[in-house]
Amino acid sequence: MEKLSPHAEEILESLWIATVEEDEVGCLLSDLDLGDEDAALNELVRLAYVETRADRLYLRKEGRPEAEMTVRRHRLAERLMMDILDIQGEKGNDQACEFEHLLHEGVDTKICTLLNHPITCPHGKPIPPGPCCEEARKKGEPGVVPLTELKAGQSGEIAYLAISDAQKMQKLMSMGVLPGNRLVLVQRFPSYVFKVGHSQFAVDDVLAREIHIRDER
Amino acid sequence: MHEESQNPRIVLVGNPNVGKSVLFNVLTGSYTMVSNYPGTSVEVSSGRCRIEGRSYEVLDTPGMYSLMPITEEERVARKILLTDRPDVLLHVVDARNIERMLPMTLQLIEAGLPVILVVNILDEAERLGMHFDLAQLQKNLGIPVVGTVMKRRQGLDELQQAIAACKEPTASFEPYAVDLETDIARLASLLTGDYPLGTRATAILLMQKDAEVEEMVRAEEGDGFPLIAPVLREIQFARRADLNLQISLERKRMTRKMLDGALQQDEDEHPSFGEMLSRWAMSPISGVPILLLVLYFGLYQFVGNFGAGTLVDFLEGVLFEKYINPAVIGFLHNLTDIYWLRELLAGEYGLWTLGVRYAIALVLPIVGTFFLIFSLLEDTGYFPRLAMLVDRLFKQIGLSGRAVIPMVLGFGCDTMATMVTRTLETRRERVIATVLLALAIPCSAQLGVILGLLSIVPGALMVWLVVMIGIFLLIGFLSARVLPGENPVFYMEIPPMRLPQLRNVMVKTLTRMQSYFLEILPLFLIASIILWAGKMSGVLDLVVKGMTPVVTAIGLPPDASAAFIFGFFRRDFGAAGLYDLQTAGLLNPAQLTVAAVTLTLFVPCIAQFLMMKKERGLKTSLLIFVFVSVLAFATGWALNTFLLATGILS
């Protein structure tokens, strides 16, 4: 399969988000800042991934899998930037935008596995699962998910704490929030409330995202 | 000769909320604040006791979670261990959570301290289906273990026997994994000084990058430190990724081993009524109605209607007006016929008429009823639940759920609340909380009078409430965006809900009322003197005249200026001044509402300003002062314009 240009990938990405996640019918060309004779656009039309009617751009069925994978690569890149490399905010976003275009030929699979098949991006949007995620699920590998992914009443073992602030981490550990301990999520809103042993704790979503649970579903 | 200092010393340590303070009180017979809110007892209390004819000095320390301090309270607690060398160290744990508290016991044993483990709250643990074999635990740990229910003084005799029999500890501790032990031994062997925690525990804390311990070692080793530093840095670097985690996990493993055969847990667990109530308080669906009920019955009915209505009517209207005032004023008038002295004692702004009467008849009943409700709620453990409920909202105004305590306390006394803001984690959060307290949180004395005033006019209370909430959220929202810094992160332990202990609640209420009263009475008297001097010299008239253009600009009669001037001496003075205007029929409904809004927002009282200066510094507090004054009158002006234009309330 021929490799798309970065610009073409970005068009696919925006189109997929608009069509699949925001339930819109295609995208206005002007919204994507595209003229009629855009090279990247022509590239996509030639592959029959998209089609233009009047001044709207539509995602074709043929383009969906590829589009989904571009979104997946972008969101994996965001996870990598923000969780592992700790590049936050605008800078993290910009770096992720650059980086996503390098995630081809199995690099995305490697990164997805490294990140333990994450299911949401740092902004909370779902990451479309790749073949590696399906495979891991089939093998029955217990997934490790942030506390934010658990439903109220669910429980699991604390896998690890990815808390950037060493003192907060120390504090949680000294309160018994330790890898290997069983945790029951009592409540998700307005704050996360969980039980470890006979003690209850409340944390906000920032901390909840950093407590990782071995999911026993 | 030096019997004082030769008394052996008992030190109490442990997590917050394990009953340390109760144990302290039972041992010494004296009272300290017992609180169900994590980490409020910042101060260290000391007392004395006699056991088997021997005198002991007893120290209660703030709650700490481990030997490695993170918060200010923990630092204070550890400092005592580092400097005081206790003769007996009581580690108090909550039996229900013994598994997460034993790691600290292990740390204390490791440090070679003379530890006695006090397993408290045994009754509730047994209700949860936990069965202890404390003799086995004592054998496993190698230190004395006593089971207690301190609330009911169960186990006190055994504890006293254990204290009397306490000996020098024989060093025996569980080893960590081999690699860790190698590093500990390597570092410990380099330490030549005399350390209160022993070389082993000191070495471990050094490896964990405990800055205070490193300072201590640097001072103790002197010229030897340069030899230690490279080894220390090497170990720290090699273990940079996961030392704390590894140590925590190792201690967890040891804890399991210690509890082996000493603890059995029944499987099935029925949620108790307390637990049900706790869930209701935390769920947004039932939590918000519960909060409204608490506000309505606690604040509006009990403090507002009963405290500010019934009690004030009785004290002010009946007791003072009918019986005390005529007698006292008559007596004072007979005392002297010098005009200025008469005025000073019993005139319009006299020490008696203004100072004492306001303080006792108007303010004390209101503040007293508020503190009663506050202490009651605090004792049940409601506040941590409220904190988690409002955290999301508070994040929008740059605060975390933790700030709910100073905010609620502000409804009692803003000065006390401003002091409590120091428990907030970041400077940014402390500044925002201080601004909001100065601006939009009326203290109970002011609130009582304002609620009383506004309830006369239908709709006025609603307008006032909407403006207050709006300003609170708006200013919070804006300052969260203007002030630099990150939003605070929220985490909090939620202690179990408990039935409040009557004695606790009463003592806490009385302690708070006493400190409030001692603080305000002098201020009331000083305010009286200043106002009297102002009146006699004519300065007061000038200041009131100076205020008049501002006051008339927001549509109020010139006489209202006095209320604003008084307002600075005590917030409630101002409100009470309005009360006089209202009874004299000088205010129409719209004016009354504008006056109440402006006065609530207007500068904090002098005591609160002094506290702000102490906590935040002169520059910041002056800025807040100017900001609040300008905003108060601007809001008053806008509200007046709005009310006139729309004809609401007219």
Side-chain angles (χ1 to χ4, degrees):
Chain A
M1 189 171 59
E2 99 184 82
K3 189 170 174 288
L4 292 173
S5 68
H7 191 195
E9 289 194 331
E10 261 144 38
I11 298 175
L12 269 186
E13 209 177 301
S14 315
L15 198 54
W16 187 87
I17 290 169
T19 320
V20 178
E21 287 189 341
E22 286 158 14
D23 285 328
E24 282 173 36
V25 185
C27 259
L28 281 173
L29 282 173
S30 54
D31 280 353
L32 296 174
D33 242 344
L34 292 173
D36 272 344
E37 287 308 313
D38 191 278
L41 183 58
N42 286 337
E43 188 184 337
L44 291 172
V45 173
R46 187 160 43 77
L47 288 163
Y49 283 174
V50 300
E51 62 182 311
T52 49
R53 268 179 267 148
D55 48 4
R56 262 187 188 273
L57 184 65
Y58 297 87
L59 182 63
R60 283 173 58 99
K61 211 168 70 208
E62 290 79 357
R64 264 199 184 220
E66 186 57 36
E68 197 171 88
M69 286 304 113
T70 58
V71 173
R72 169 178 158 77
R73 287 194 290 267
H74 177 73
R75 290 181 181 167
L76 280 175
E78 282 181 337
R79 271 257 165 254
L80 184 71
M81 287 302 148
M82 297 187 188
D83 291 3
I84 306 289
L85 305 183
D86 195 27
I87 309 174
Q88 303 294 340
E90 266 310 291
K91 215 167 154 210
N93 278 328
D94 294 346
Q95 293 291 327
C97 281
E98 301 262 324
F99 199 73
E100 60 173 294
H101 305 300
L102 304 175
L103 302 185
H104 286 283
E105 285 150 16
V107 180
D108 57 337
T109 308
K110 290 246 159 69
I111 286 182
C112 190
T113 310
L114 171 75
L115 295 171
N116 207 348
H117 313 290
I119 47 185
T120 55
C121 79
H123 310 96
K125 297 242 174 78
I127 299 176
C132 62
C133 306
E134 297 294 335
E135 213 166 288
R137 192 196 310 255
K138 263 187 216 137
K139 272 199 218 144
E141 284 174 14
V144 173
V145 294
L147 186 58
T148 47
E149 298 300 317
L150 254 54
K151 292 195 185 75
Q154 273 184 341
S155 63
E157 202 184 85
I158 301 172
Y160 59 93
L161 306 170
I163 294 164
S164 38
D165 185 331
Q167 291 211 327
K168 295 228 160 65
M169 170 122 164
Q170 185 72 27
K171 183 97 192 184
L172 279 175
M173 291 199 304
S174 62
M175 294 199 294
V177 183
L178 257 181
N181 281 354
R182 274 187 72 77
L183 173 153
V184 186
L185 187 64
V186 178
Q187 179 179 338
R188 295 173 50 90
F189 187 85
S191 303
Y192 290 85
V193 178
F194 60 85
K195 250 179 136 168
V196 175
H198 291 295
S199 313
Q200 274 194 96
F201 304 90
V203 296
D204 61 11
D205 47 355
V206 177
L207 267 186
R209 220 172 284 139
E210 292 169 334
I211 300 171
H212 291 258
I213 308 296
R214 192 155 288 126
D215 195 355
E216 290 165 358
R217 269 177 287 189
Chain B
M1 292 295 100
H2 292 286
E3 269 196 10
E4 286 289 309
S5 56
Q6 278 169 7
N7 279 340
R9 192 168 258 183
I10 303 172
V11 175
L12 274 60
V13 293
N15 276 212
N17 270 306
V18 293
K20 266 195 326 298
S21 305
V22 180
L23 172 58
F24 176 82
N25 294 325
V26 169
L27 270 182
T28 62
S30 82
Y31 195 82
T32 47
M33 292 281 259
V34 189
S35 170
N36 198 15
Y37 185 80
T40 37
S41 48
V42 187
E43 271 149 21
V44 180
S45 347
S46 65
R48 297 178 169 283
C49 71
R50 281 190 86 78
I51 295 167
E52 296 187 0
R54 206 164 166 205
S55 244
Y56 289 86
E57 198 182 332
V58 189
L59 279 183
D60 185 15
T61 62
M64 69 197 287
Y65 284 97
S66 81
L67 263 192
M68 183 121 148
I70 293 166
T71 59
E72 215 39 55
E73 287 102 11
E74 289 181 301
R75 223 155 269 144
V76 172
R78 198 192 55 186
K79 195 145 229 162
I80 294 170
L81 293 185
L82 284 182
T83 52
D84 270 38
R85 307 203 181 217
D87 298 285
V88 181
L89 186 67
L90 299 184
H91 183 210
V92 190
V93 299
D94 178 345
R96 292 166 298 183
N97 294 309
I98 192 160
E99 205 172 327
R100 76 169 161 102
M101 296 185 180
L102 268 190
M104 189 165 123
T105 319
L106 297 171
Q107 265 179 295
L108 297 171
I109 297 174
E110 193 174 83
L113 294 162
V115 199
I116 296 176
L117 180 65
V118 182
V119 184
N120 197 16
I121 324 187
L122 262 184
D123 52 342
E124 287 187 42
E126 271 158 21
R127 233 169 285 146
L128 286 170
M130 302 170 80
H131 305 288
F132 287 91
D133 180 350
L134 294 178
Q136 182 65 43
L137 185 61
Q138 173 158 339
K139 217 168 113 198
N140 291 356
L141 283 169
I143 56 161
V145 176
V146 183
T148 59
V149 184
M150 265 308 143
K151 219 166 52 186
R152 280 189 260 116
R153 306 171 77 96
Q154 268 175 33
L156 182 61
D157 290 346
E158 290 91 325
L159 180 60
Q160 287 178 332
Q161 281 163 21
I163 292 172
C166 190
K167 298 185 297 275
E168 276 291 298
T170 46
S172 83
F173 34 73
E174 279 290 306
Y176 293 98
V178 182
D179 61 326
L180 207 51
E181 281 296 337
T182 315
D183 281 351
I184 296 170
R186 187 168 160 216
L187 200 55
S189 68
L190 292 173
L191 298 176
T192 56
D194 176 24
Y195 296 99
L197 300 180
T199 50
R200 179 179 167 87
T202 306
I204 296 172
L205 287 169
L206 272 180
M207 284 161 62
Q208 288 182 289
K209 299 190 186 164
D210 187 316
E212 245 167 85
V213 167
E214 190 171 321
E215 258 335 287
M216 186 180 79
V217 172
R218 192 189 298 271
E220 182 79 26
E221 300 291 332
D223 293 339
F225 190 74
L227 287 174
I228 300 170
V231 178
L232 177 60
R233 299 287 173 262
E234 185 194 320
I235 296 174
Q236 280 176 345
F237 183 75
R239 298 188 168 279
R240 66 189 178 281
D242 57 2
L243 177 67
N244 285 335
L245 184 66
Q246 190 186 348
I247 291 180
S248 297
L249 289 175
E250 289 268 348
R251 289 198 183 126
K252 188 177 132 189
R253 177 181 59 78
M254 296 174 195
T255 299
R256 292 236 162 111
K257 193 170 154 197
M258 293 299 150
L259 285 176
D260 187 40
L263 171 64
Q264 283 210 320
Q265 169 78 58
D266 287 348
E267 274 311 309
D268 56 278
E269 226 184 277
H270 300 289
S272 60
F273 177 69
E275 195 150 331
M276 299 296 288
L277 195 62
S278 158
R279 295 226 174 134
W280 290 333
M282 290 194 296
S283 148
I285 301 163
S286 48
V288 173
I290 288 178
L291 173 61
L292 292 178
L293 281 180
V294 167
L295 288 178
Y296 179 77
F297 285 106
L299 215 56
Y300 188 77
Q301 289 294 1
F302 190 68
V303 180
N305 275 353
F306 177 69
T310 318
L311 277 185
V312 169
D313 283 349
F314 173 72
L315 285 174
E316 159 85 6
V318 180
L319 206 60
F320 267 74
E321 287 289 306
K322 284 219 180 92
Y323 299 101
I324 301 181
N325 269 358
V328 172
I329 292 173
F331 170 75
L332 291 174
H333 273 228
N334 284 337
L335 209 63
T336 172
D337 28 276
I338 308 168
Y339 173 65
W340 65 264
L341 193 57
R342 271 192 182 181
E343 280 292 309
L344 176 61
L345 294 173
E348 191 182 355
Y349 306 126
L351 286 174
W352 176 263
T353 15
L354 194 81
V356 178
R357 181 175 66 100
Y358 271 30
I360 294 178
L362 218 63
V363 180
L364 197 63
I366 303 175
V367 169
T369 42
F370 177 84
F371 284 150
L372 183 62
I373 289 289
F374 188 85
S375 308
L376 195 75
L377 287 174
E378 190 185 31
D379 222 46
T380 60
Y382 178 65
F383 289 139
R385 288 166 175 82
L386 185 58
M388 65 77 50
L389 207 57
V390 300
D391 177 60
R392 221 169 252 264
L393 178 69
F394 268 34
K395 287 277 164 62
Q396 293 301 315
I397 56 173
L399 300 172
S400 86
R402 259 167 210 281
V404 86
I405 298 300
M407 289 299 153
V408 173
L409 194 57
F411 285 107
C413 171
D414 281 307
T415 310
M416 268 191 187
T418 306
M419 192 177 83
V420 170
T421 54
R422 72 167 79 133
T423 57
L424 301 176
E425 279 186 12
T426 60
R427 185 185 143 75
R428 176 175 184 261
E429 220 184 332
R430 291 193 285 264
V431 169
I432 296 178
T434 308
V435 170
L436 291 176
L437 282 171
L439 184 70
I441 306 281
C443 69
S444 62
Q446 193 184 24
L447 197 62
V449 185
I450 282 181
L451 287 181
L453 271 177
L454 295 182
S455 57
I456 308 166
V457 186
L461 194 58
M462 204 32 104
V463 172
W464 178 83
L465 200 63
V466 168
V467 175
M468 282 307 135
I469 294 175
I471 291 279
F472 178 84
L473 292 179
L474 180 74
I475 296 305
F477 186 80
L478 290 179
S479 41
R481 264 131 206 94
V482 171
L483 287 174
E486 295 266 303
N487 249 348
V489 171
F490 174 69
Y491 62 94
M492 184 174 259
E493 189 180 347
I494 311 258
M497 277 235 161
R498 290 179 197 158
L499 212 57
Q501 304 279 137
L502 186 66
R503 184 168 171 268
N504 254 354
V505 173
M506 290 319 292
V507 174
K508 265 196 274 190
T509 309
L510 290 177
T511 317
R512 287 200 167 108
M513 274 171 75
Q514 186 192 8
S515 65
Y516 180 80
F517 201 64
L518 290 179
E519 177 226 338
I520 63 160
L521 194 61
L523 278 164
F524 267 67
L525 296 179
I526 291 168
S528 300
I529 294 173
I530 294 175
L531 288 171
W532 163 83
K535 184 193 171 196
M536 298 310 275
S537 62
V539 176
L540 187 63
D541 280 341
L542 284 178
V543 179
V544 171
K545 275 210 187 80
M547 281 287 284
T548 309
V550 190
V551 171
T552 44
I554 61 171
L556 298 180
D559 291 347
S561 317
F564 286 95
I565 303 292
F566 294 176
F568 183 59
F569 290 98
R570 286 301 301 187
R571 278 183 150 190
D572 36 275
F573 256 34
L578 279 190
Y579 185 78
D580 293 343
L581 282 181
Q582 157 73 21
T583 37
L586 285 172
L587 293 172
N588 65 31
Q591 284 176 324
L592 185 67
T593 315
V594 171
V597 163
T598 315
L599 201 71
T600 318
L601 294 176
F602 188 50
V603 282
C605 70
I606 193 164
Q608 190 183 353
F609 181 75
L610 292 175
M611 185 57 78
M612 272 161 59
K613 197 186 115 231
K614 191 174 153 216
E615 295 287 319
R616 297 291 94 81
L618 184 63
K619 207 180 116 203
T620 313
S621 39
L622 274 178
L623 271 174
I624 296 178
F625 182 96
V626 173
F627 170 72
V628 166
S629 310
V630 171
L631 191 78
F633 283 99
T635 312
W637 180 82
L639 182 65
N640 184 48
T641 316
F642 174 77
L643 290 178
L644 288 182
T646 54
I648 299 175
L649 293 181
S650 61

